[in-house]
Amino acid sequence: GPSSVYEDGAPQIDRAIFKEGIPIFGICYGFQAMAQAFGGEVARTGTSEFGRTHFTADTTSKLFSGINSAFDVWMSHGDSVTAAPEGFATIGRASNTPVAAFESEDGKFAGVQFHPESIATDFGQEIFKNFINLI
């Protein structure tokens, strides 16, 4: 949603969870919180997105394997990830969001700025299946 990781009292991720060896998939605010926890950059760019947005995916990535390289997604955010954390590859972008998806080199951690659970996102179920198959 439109909440900011920079707001007073904003929920943060306990970094210890990443050491548990469990795969984690960050969605929207969770994507931003994951990026911040791993040392990536989240910024108030002054550009927010709400609604269907055209998305371009790196289909060589594990998360978007077997999915079209271009499709529409549902966005609802104010802040944006402007640099993926070290050890993560940027695997998707939108016109106003150059880092709209990333995954770690080992595939255990991935995130997307959009909402794959929304019926307004094309291939949402396939994205979830791809992440589950990484586990």
Side-chain angles (χ1 to χ4, degrees):
S3 297
S4 173
V5 295
Y6 295 109
E7 290 176 7
D8 288 338
Q12 301 295 312
I13 295 175
D14 182 348
R15 292 183 54 109
I17 191 121
F18 298 117
K19 296 178 182 171
E20 295 295 320
I22 56 173
I24 298 174
F25 186 39
I27 298 171
C28 193
Y29 183 91
F31 171 65
Q32 295 172 12
M34 182 185 292
Q36 190 176 50
F38 276 105
E41 294 179 20
V42 179
R44 292 181 175 169
T45 62
T47 302
S48 60
E49 292 178 293
F50 183 78
R52 282 178 60 93
T53 303
H54 192 69
F55 179 83
T56 304
D58 175 353
T59 58
T60 65
S61 68
K62 296 171 186 170
L63 194 62
F64 298 121
S65 176
I67 297 175
N68 291 358
S69 62
F71 54 95
D72 289 332
V73 299
W74 185 263
M75 293 276 206
S76 176
H77 67 101
D79 293 346
S80 294
V81 175
T82 54
E86 187 174 329
F88 285 72
T90 298
I91 59 169
R93 66 184 191 288
S95 58
N96 291 321
T97 311
V99 182
F102 58 50
E103 69 184 13
S104 62
E105 293 170 355
D106 64 6
K108 283 189 175 182
F109 308 117
V112 294
Q113 182 61 70
F114 61 87
H115 291 270
E117 77 281 8
S118 171
I119 195 165
T121 293
D122 299 335
F123 305 108
Q125 293 300 307
E126 289 84 351
I127 293 165
F128 281 123
K129 287 176 188 173
N130 281 352
F131 183 73
I132 289 168
N133 287 332
L134 296 174
I135 303 173

